[in-house]
Amino acid sequence: MTHERTIILGASHWHVPLYAQAIAEMHQVVGVSDDDVSLVQGLADGWGAPVEADWRKLVDLPDIGLAYVFGPHSDMAEKCHALIERGIPFVVEKPLGTSLAELSAVRKAADAAGVPATVPLVQRDGPTDRWLAKAGRPTYQRTSFIAGPPSRYLDNANPWMLDPVSAGGGCLANLGPHFVDLFLQGCAEPAAHVDSRLSSVLHGGAVEDHASLIISTPEGREAIVEVGYAFPGSPLKRYCSYTSVGEAGFASVDSDGSATFTAVDGTTESAKIDVDSDPLYVPFVRRVAQTLEDGFRGLPTLAQLENVMRPIWQAYDDQHGGKEHA
C-alpha cells in the first residue's frame, strides 16, 4: 500500500467531505477540480493540493496513480473515458452516467484497457447488510430508505441533482443503487423483471421524490425497494427499515437501529446497530488504498454496477416511454 498520487474530480459533490479525512491519510492528493473552485478550496487546502476549474488539466498531470470521479452524473462517463485512455485506475460514484449505455461503454473500455475501477456501494458488508445476512440467501427482501427533501441539494451546492438532464433521475438513480446491490449480491442472481412507480407529487420537482421497485430474479426471488426524498429536513436525516427472509429465518432492521433475527426454530435474537451510512465511506477509502495494486480485488466492480443500474434505468424507461435512458 502506497500513498499514490491522486486527483479528485468534481469535488463539490456532497459525499466528498465523508471521504476527506481518509483520503488525506491514504493518498497523496496532487490536484482537485470543480467547475466552481470556491466550493472546494477548503477541501483542497486540507489536502495541500492545487485547485483547477478544468478537470482535464488534472488527468494530464504526470504519474497519476488514482482518481476519484464525482460531479454531475452527465459528466461522469467523459471523465472515466479520459482516465481509461491514460491508464489511471479510478473510483467513480454511482450511477456513472445518465443511461445504461454510458455505463456499459465505460465498463467495456475499462475492461479492454485493463484499467481497474470501483464504485462506493458502501452499504455492502456494512452493519445492515451483515445483519440481514443472518436470514441467509434472500428469498424476499424489502428496503425502505427515505432521505431528506430535494431542497438539501440547493443547500449543499449541488443544484444539478434536481435537473433530470444533469442527474439522469432523482431519488431512484441516487439512492436506489445501494439497495438493489444488496439484494443482487445477497441472492447472487441478476434482476430478471422489474415493476416500478415514480412520483414527484410531494415536492413537484423535475425529478422524482419517491420511487418503488419490485425486482424479481430468474429463480423468483423478490425485492421491494422504496426510496425517496420525502423525509423532512431534520437532524434524524432519514427514515429507513429493512427486512429479509431466507432459508435461515427472518431478519429486520428499523430506523433507530433496532435489529431482530428470528430463526426457523422460532428463537429470536436482538441487537442495536448503526444504520447511518456516512461512517462507511472511511473504511471504503482505506480498502481502495489497500487493494489498488490488486485491481481493487473484493470491491464493487463496474460490471456489478451495470447489473444494479439495469433495472433502475429500465424503471425510468418504463415510466418515460423508453426514450430517455436507452
Side-chain angles (χ1 to χ4, degrees), residues 8 28 58 96 118 175 212 221 229 239 313:
I8 315 292
Q28 179 191 354
L58 299 188
L96 203 176
T118 188
L175 304 173
S212 300
R221 299 172 189 275
Y229 297 150
Y239 165 85
W313 291 131

Side-chain angles (χ1 to χ4, degrees), residues 131-315:
W131 188 267
L132 296 179
K134 290 177 175 289
R137 189 179 178 206
T139 304
Y140 309 125
Q141 196 167 90
R142 181 196 56 77
T143 295
S144 180
F145 191 95
I146 310 299
S151 59
R152 64 199 171 105
Y153 295 109
L154 304 177
D155 299 335
N156 65 24
N158 287 268
W160 58 266
M161 276 293 287
L162 308 184
D163 173 12
V165 174
S166 295
C171 59
L172 180 57
N174 179 30
L175 304 173
H178 288 293
F179 309 109
V180 174
D181 179 62
L182 291 191
F183 174 65
L184 296 183
Q185 287 298 302
C187 66
E189 285 191 80
H193 183 77
V194 60
D195 293 302
S196 61
R197 177 76 175 93
L198 311 181
S199 176
S200 58
V201 171
L202 182 62
H203 295 288
V207 298
E208 81 281 356
D209 54 41
H210 188 264
S212 300
L213 295 183
I214 302 177
I215 298 171
S216 58
T217 72
E219 289 185 3
R221 299 172 189 275
E222 185 175 282
I224 299 171
V225 177
E226 177 200 18
V227 292
Y229 297 150
F231 198 77
S234 163
L236 291 176
K237 292 197 282 190
R238 65 182 70 88
Y239 165 85
C240 60
S241 67
Y242 311 86
T243 63
S244 193
V245 182
E247 67 277 3
F250 184 98
S252 66
V253 181
D254 291 331
S255 200
D256 64 354
S258 299
T260 61
F261 169 63
T262 300
V264 290
D265 66 3
T267 59
T268 297
E269 62 176 296
S270 301
K272 199 71 172 267
I273 67 173
D274 187 356
V275 297
D276 187 358
S277 55
D278 288 358
L280 301 177
Y281 288 88
V282 166
F284 174 79
V285 170
R286 291 182 178 142
R287 289 197 65 198
V288 164
Q290 292 161 358
T291 61
L292 176 57
E293 292 183 356
D294 296 326
F296 304 125
R297 184 183 300 275
L299 290 179
T301 67
L302 295 185
Q304 290 169 347
L305 179 63
E306 193 174 7
N307 285 337
V308 164
M309 293 308 301
R310 186 171 288 109
I312 290 174
W313 291 131
Q314 182 186 328

Side-chain angles (χ1 to χ4, degrees), residues 7 9 67-71 75-76 79-80 83 90-93:
I7 55 177
L9 310 183
Y68 283 77
V69 179
F70 301 100
D75 298 340
M76 284 179 158
K79 292 172 181 173
C80 292
L83 295 166
F90 60 94
V91 177
V92 58
E93 268 281 355

